[in-house]
Amino acid sequence: MTGGDLWVIASYLLGLCALALFCGAVAGAVGIGGGALLAPGFYALYGVIGAPAETRALAAVGAALGLIALLSAAAVAAQRLAAAPDYALLRRWGALFGVGAALGAAGAALAPGWALTLIIGAAAFGLGLQIAFWPQGEAAPGARRGSKAPPVAAEPRALDLLIGAAGAIGLGAATAVSGQSGGGFSAAALGQGGEDAPKTSVNAAALGVIAGVVGTITLLLMTLFSDRPAAAPWAIGAVDLFAIALAAPLWLLSASHAAQLTAPLPQRPLRLLFAIGLILAGLLLVRAGGGGG
């Protein structure tokens, strides 16, 4: 092993630890949104260690999806006393959401690096706007305050089923192709029904588990025997399993301490700062993708 190899590995390990601790601290401080930083953060990390441009964005999506699966499962477990997932909703739409996640991950594997970079950047930009203009605890834009989604047990019309199926597939695809967490697109969509924040959060986390698991497996199957160079030292195909295993406990530890330290502080300024940072990250990625990678 040469000195250059040791430098790459050291930079990778330090950068990975810093990324996990930072994203976890953001998630704990603002209560949401830390997962939105994962794909942009991994993209930057792989760029620092000199990963090939054609695989950098895909590796970022793969690492983000794997980590989202673990963190979303932890979120569901942590919130089970405050609010249980809506199992009727998950039974009705979960499988179709998973189909969408598989399609989105497959699209990510097939897309050129510059196009996938554009998608990651556009998603980060859009979620930054959502966080900035959708205050925590309020109904999502377009939803009536105090309104509730129609009971899942109600007999739906055929058109409603068709629209719901298309929406579930599209939501799963958008989540997986951009490497975003359940708290991003899913929370915004679920919030349209006017559900309270804890219920929306736990349902979005449950969908995050589906997207993370299905997306990660799809990427592994599609890239395991690919001849494209790996973006990270110990990546398997497009999925950096080592990064996922190391980052998850660091994230949870950082999020827990950050939540305790920032509990007395007003949430709105913290969320605005995070939203601005996410918007800027999205613009930088869009610029990188628009320049051909």
Side-chain angles (χ1 to χ4, degrees):
M1 183 176 293
T2 66
D5 294 332
L6 290 174
W7 173 253
V8 168
I9 291 174
S11 300
Y12 167 73
L13 292 174
L14 290 174
L16 177 60
C17 292
L19 175 63
L21 291 171
F22 175 73
C23 290
V26 169
V30 303
I32 53 95
L37 287 172
L38 285 177
F42 276 113
Y43 182 89
L45 172 63
Y46 295 140
V48 168
I49 63 174
E54 66 269 21
T55 61
R56 191 184 310 164
L58 182 58
V61 170
L65 286 175
L67 194 50
I68 285 165
L70 296 180
L71 298 174
S72 296
V76 172
Q79 298 178 71
R80 67 186 183 279
L81 297 179
D86 187 340
Y87 293 109
L89 180 146
L90 294 176
R91 283 193 297 270
R92 173 166 290 178
W93 305 121
L96 290 174
F97 184 86
V99 169
L103 292 174
L110 297 173
W114 64 265
L116 191 55
T117 302
L118 276 174
I119 292 172
I120 297 171
F125 179 81
L127 289 174
L129 292 178
Q130 171 201 317
I131 293 168
F133 296 105
W134 177 12
Q136 188 177 22
E138 294 187 6
R144 293 185 301 165
R145 292 180 183 273
S147 66
K148 294 292 180 182
V152 173
E155 189 66 30
R157 298 178 300 171
L159 181 59
D160 293 335
L161 285 174
L162 183 61
I163 294 174
I169 294 173
L171 188 62
T175 298
V177 74
S178 60
Q180 288 298 336
S181 65
F185 298 122
S186 301
L190 293 169
Q192 290 290 332
E195 290 287 355
D196 55 52
K199 196 69 174 179
T200 295
S201 178
V202 73
N203 285 335
L207 292 176
V209 175
I210 296 174
V213 171
V214 172
T216 301
I217 292 174
T218 301
L219 284 181
L220 277 172
L221 293 176
M222 291 193 66
T223 63
L224 186 59
F225 301 106
S226 172
D227 57 358
R228 288 183 292 187
W234 299 292
I236 300 177
V239 181
D240 192 349
L241 295 176
F242 176 84
I244 295 167
L246 178 60
L250 292 176
W251 168 297
L252 294 173
L253 179 65
S254 178
S256 175
H257 285 290
Q260 295 175 10
L261 291 173
T262 60
L265 301 177
Q267 287 291 297
R268 184 59 177 159
L270 294 175
R271 288 169 60 88
L272 281 175
L273 284 174
F274 169 64
I276 292 170
L278 191 57
I279 289 170
L280 292 175
L283 289 174
L284 290 174
L285 283 167
V286 168
R287 180 182 178 185

